Coordinates of all heavy atoms in Angstrom, one line a residue:
P1004 N -5.9 -35.8 -67.5 CA -4.9 -36.8 -67.3 C -3.6 -36.3 -66.6 O -3.0 -37.0 -65.7 CB -4.6 -37.3 -68.7 CG -5.9 -37.1 -69.4 CD -6.4 -35.8 -68.8
D1005 N -3.1 -35.2 -67.0 CA -1.8 -34.7 -66.4 C -2.0 -34.3 -64.9 O -1.2 -34.6 -64.1 CB -1.3 -33.5 -67.2 CG -0.8 -33.9 -68.6 OD1 -0.4 -35.0 -68.8 OD2 -0.9 -33.0 -69.5
Y1006 N -3.2 -33.7 -64.7 CA -3.5 -33.3 -63.3 C -3.7 -34.5 -62.4 O -3.4 -34.6 -61.3 CB -4.7 -32.4 -63.3 CG -5.1 -31.7 -62.0 CD1 -4.1 -31.3 -61.1 CD2 -6.4 -31.5 -61.7 CE1 -4.4 -30.7 -59.9 CE2 -6.7 -30.9 -60.5 CZ -5.8 -30.5 -59.6 OH -6.1 -29.8 -58.4
A1007 N -4.3 -35.6 -63.0 CA -4.6 -36.8 -62.3 C -3.2 -37.4 -61.8 O -3.2 -37.8 -60.6 CB -5.3 -37.8 -63.2
V1008 N -2.2 -37.4 -62.6 CA -0.9 -37.9 -62.2 C -0.3 -37.1 -61.1 O 0.2 -37.6 -60.1 CB 0.0 -38.0 -63.4 CG1 1.5 -38.3 -63.0 CG2 -0.4 -39.0 -64.4
E1009 N -0.4 -35.8 -61.2 CA 0.1 -34.9 -60.2 C -0.6 -35.1 -58.9 O 0.0 -35.2 -57.8 CB -0.1 -33.4 -60.7 CG 0.3 -32.4 -59.7 CD -0.1 -31.0 -60.2 OE1 0.0 -30.7 -61.4 OE2 -0.5 -30.1 -59.4
L1010 N -1.9 -35.3 -58.9 CA -2.7 -35.5 -57.7 C -2.3 -36.8 -57.0 O -2.2 -36.9 -55.8 CB -4.2 -35.5 -58.0 CG -4.8 -34.1 -58.3 CD1 -6.2 -34.3 -58.9 CD2 -4.9 -33.3 -57.0
R1011 N -2.2 -37.9 -57.8 CA -1.8 -39.2 -57.3 C -0.4 -39.2 -56.7 O -0.2 -39.9 -55.7 CB -1.9 -40.2 -58.4 CG -3.3 -40.5 -58.9 CD -3.3 -41.4 -60.1 NE -4.6 -41.3 -60.8 CZ -4.8 -41.7 -62.0 NH1 -3.8 -42.4 -62.7 NH2 -6.0 -41.6 -62.6
E1012 N 0.5 -38.4 -57.2 CA 1.8 -38.3 -56.7 C 1.9 -37.5 -55.4 O 2.8 -37.8 -54.6 CB 2.8 -37.7 -57.7 CG 3.1 -38.6 -58.9 CD 3.9 -38.0 -60.0 OE1 4.1 -36.8 -59.9 OE2 4.3 -38.7 -60.9
S1013 N 1.0 -36.6 -55.2 CA 1.0 -35.7 -54.0 C 0.1 -36.1 -52.9 O 0.2 -35.6 -51.8 CB 0.9 -34.2 -54.4 OG -0.4 -34.1 -55.1
H1014 N -0.9 -37.0 -53.2 CA -1.9 -37.3 -52.2 C -2.1 -38.9 -52.2 O -2.6 -39.4 -53.2 CB -3.3 -36.7 -52.5 CG -3.2 -35.2 -52.5 ND1 -3.2 -34.4 -51.3 CD2 -3.2 -34.3 -53.5 CE1 -3.1 -33.2 -51.6 NE2 -3.1 -33.1 -52.9
P1015 N -1.7 -39.6 -51.2 CA -1.8 -41.0 -51.1 C -3.3 -41.4 -51.2 O -3.6 -42.6 -51.5 CB -1.2 -41.4 -49.8 CG -1.0 -40.2 -49.0 CD -1.0 -39.0 -50.0
E1016 N -4.2 -40.5 -50.8 CA -5.7 -40.8 -50.8 C -6.3 -40.8 -52.2 O -7.4 -41.2 -52.4 CB -6.5 -39.8 -50.0 CG -6.1 -39.8 -48.5 CD -5.0 -38.7 -48.2 OE1 -4.4 -38.2 -49.2 OE2 -4.8 -38.5 -47.0
I1017 N -5.5 -40.4 -53.2 CA -6.0 -40.3 -54.6 C -5.3 -41.3 -55.5 O -4.1 -41.3 -55.6 CB -5.8 -38.9 -55.2 CG1 -6.6 -37.9 -54.3 CG2 -6.3 -38.8 -56.6 CD1 -6.4 -36.4 -54.7
T1018 N -6.1 -42.2 -56.1 CA -5.5 -43.2 -57.0 C -6.4 -43.3 -58.3 O -7.4 -42.7 -58.4 CB -5.5 -44.6 -56.3 OG1 -6.9 -45.0 -55.9 CG2 -4.7 -44.6 -55.0
G1019 N -5.9 -44.1 -59.2 CA -6.7 -44.4 -60.4 C -8.0 -45.1 -60.0 O -7.9 -46.0 -59.2
A1020 N -9.1 -44.7 -60.6 CA -10.4 -45.3 -60.3 C -10.5 -46.7 -60.7 O -10.2 -47.1 -61.9 CB -11.5 -44.5 -60.8
W1021 N -10.9 -47.6 -59.8 CA -11.1 -49.0 -60.1 C -12.3 -49.1 -61.0 O -13.3 -48.4 -60.9 CB -11.4 -49.7 -58.8 CG -11.3 -51.2 -58.8 CD1 -10.3 -52.0 -59.3 CD2 -12.3 -52.1 -58.3 NE1 -10.6 -53.3 -59.2 CE2 -11.8 -53.4 -58.6 CE3 -13.5 -51.9 -57.7 CZ2 -12.6 -54.5 -58.2 CZ3 -14.3 -53.0 -57.4 CH2 -13.8 -54.3 -57.6
H1022 N -12.2 -50.0 -62.0 CA -13.2 -50.2 -63.0 C -13.5 -49.1 -64.0 O -14.5 -49.0 -64.7 CB -14.6 -50.6 -62.4 CG -14.6 -52.0 -61.9 ND1 -14.3 -53.1 -62.6 CD2 -15.0 -52.5 -60.6 CE1 -14.5 -54.2 -61.9 NE2 -14.9 -53.8 -60.7
M1023 N -12.6 -48.1 -64.0 CA -12.7 -46.9 -64.9 C -11.4 -46.7 -65.6 O -10.4 -47.3 -65.2 CB -13.0 -45.7 -64.1 CG -14.3 -45.7 -63.2 SD -15.8 -45.9 -64.2 CE -16.0 -44.3 -64.8
N1024 N -11.4 -45.9 -66.7 CA -10.2 -45.6 -67.4 C -9.3 -44.7 -66.5 O -9.7 -43.6 -66.2 CB -10.6 -44.8 -68.7 CG -9.4 -44.4 -69.5 OD1 -8.2 -44.3 -69.0 ND2 -9.6 -44.3 -70.8
K1025 N -8.3 -45.3 -66.0 CA -7.4 -44.7 -65.0 C -6.7 -43.4 -65.5 O -6.2 -42.6 -64.7 CB -6.4 -45.7 -64.4 CG -7.2 -46.7 -63.5 CD -6.4 -47.9 -63.3 CE -7.1 -49.0 -62.5 NZ -8.5 -49.3 -62.9
K1026 N -6.7 -43.3 -66.8 CA -6.1 -42.0 -67.4 C -7.0 -40.8 -67.1 O -6.5 -39.7 -66.9 CB -5.9 -42.2 -68.9 CG -5.3 -41.0 -69.5 CD -5.0 -41.3 -71.0 CE -4.4 -40.1 -71.7 NZ -4.2 -40.3 -73.1
H1027 N -8.3 -41.1 -67.1 CA -9.3 -40.0 -67.0 C -10.1 -39.9 -65.7 O -10.9 -39.0 -65.5 CB -10.2 -40.0 -68.1 CG -9.6 -39.8 -69.5 ND1 -9.2 -38.6 -69.9 CD2 -9.2 -40.7 -70.4 CE1 -8.6 -38.7 -71.1 NE2 -8.6 -40.0 -71.4
W1028 N -10.0 -40.9 -64.8 CA -10.8 -41.0 -63.6 C -9.9 -41.3 -62.4 O -9.1 -42.2 -62.4 CB -11.8 -42.1 -63.8 CG -12.9 -41.8 -64.8 CD1 -12.8 -42.1 -66.1 CD2 -14.1 -41.1 -64.6 NE1 -14.0 -41.6 -66.7 CE2 -14.8 -41.1 -65.8 CE3 -14.7 -40.6 -63.4 CZ2 -16.0 -40.5 -65.9 CZ3 -16.0 -40.0 -63.6 CH2 -16.6 -40.0 -64.8
N1029 N -10.1 -40.6 -61.3 CA -9.5 -40.8 -60.0 C -10.5 -41.3 -59.0 O -11.7 -40.9 -59.1 CB -8.9 -39.5 -59.5 CG -7.5 -39.2 -60.1 OD1 -6.9 -40.0 -60.6 ND2 -7.1 -37.9 -60.0
Q1030 N -10.0 -42.0 -58.0 CA -10.9 -42.2 -56.9 C -10.2 -41.6 -55.6 O -9.0 -41.7 -55.5 CB -11.1 -43.7 -56.7 CG -9.9 -44.6 -56.4 CD -10.3 -46.1 -56.3 OE1 -11.3 -46.5 -56.8 NE2 -9.4 -46.8 -55.8
L1031 N -11.0 -41.0 -54.8 CA -10.6 -40.3 -53.6 C -11.0 -41.1 -52.4 O -12.2 -41.5 -52.3 CB -11.2 -38.9 -53.5 CG -10.7 -37.8 -54.4 CD1 -10.9 -38.1 -55.9 CD2 -11.4 -36.5 -54.1
N1032 N -10.1 -41.4 -51.5 CA -10.4 -42.1 -50.3 C -10.9 -41.0 -49.3 O -10.2 -40.2 -48.8 CB -9.2 -42.8 -49.7 CG -9.5 -43.5 -48.5 OD1 -10.4 -43.2 -47.7 ND2 -8.8 -44.6 -48.2
L1033 N -12.2 -41.0 -49.1 CA -12.9 -40.0 -48.2 C -12.6 -40.2 -46.7 O -12.8 -39.4 -45.9 CB -14.4 -40.0 -48.4 CG -14.8 -39.6 -49.9 CD1 -16.3 -39.7 -50.0 CD2 -14.4 -38.2 -50.2
Y1034 N -12.0 -41.4 -46.4 CA -11.6 -41.7 -45.0 C -10.2 -41.2 -44.7 O -9.7 -41.4 -43.6 CB -11.8 -43.1 -44.7 CG -13.2 -43.7 -44.8 CD1 -13.5 -45.0 -44.7 CD2 -14.3 -42.8 -45.0 CE1 -14.7 -45.5 -44.8 CE2 -15.6 -43.3 -45.1 CZ -15.8 -44.7 -45.0 OH -17.1 -45.2 -45.1
G1035 N -9.6 -40.6 -45.7 CA -8.2 -40.1 -45.6 C -8.2 -38.7 -45.0 O -9.1 -38.3 -44.3
H1036 N -7.2 -37.9 -45.4 CA -7.0 -36.6 -44.8 C -7.1 -35.5 -45.9 O -6.5 -34.5 -45.8 CB -5.6 -36.5 -44.2 CG -5.5 -37.5 -43.0 ND1 -6.1 -37.3 -41.8 CD2 -4.8 -38.6 -42.9 CE1 -5.9 -38.3 -41.0 NE2 -5.0 -39.2 -41.7

Side-chain angles (χ1 to χ4, degrees):
D1005 293 331
Y1006 189 35
V1008 171
E1009 178 184 323
L1010 288 165
R1011 293 172 197 168
E1012 289 175 350
S1013 58
H1014 300 282
E1016 300 92 348
I1017 300 176
T1018 60
W1021 192 53
H1022 284 307
M1023 303 294 286
N1024 181 334
K1025 288 160 186 49
K1026 181 177 179 182
H1027 298 281
W1028 291 88
N1029 277 341
Q1030 63 185 18
L1031 285 61
N1032 184 332
L1033 296 176
Y1034 297 172
H1036 300 287

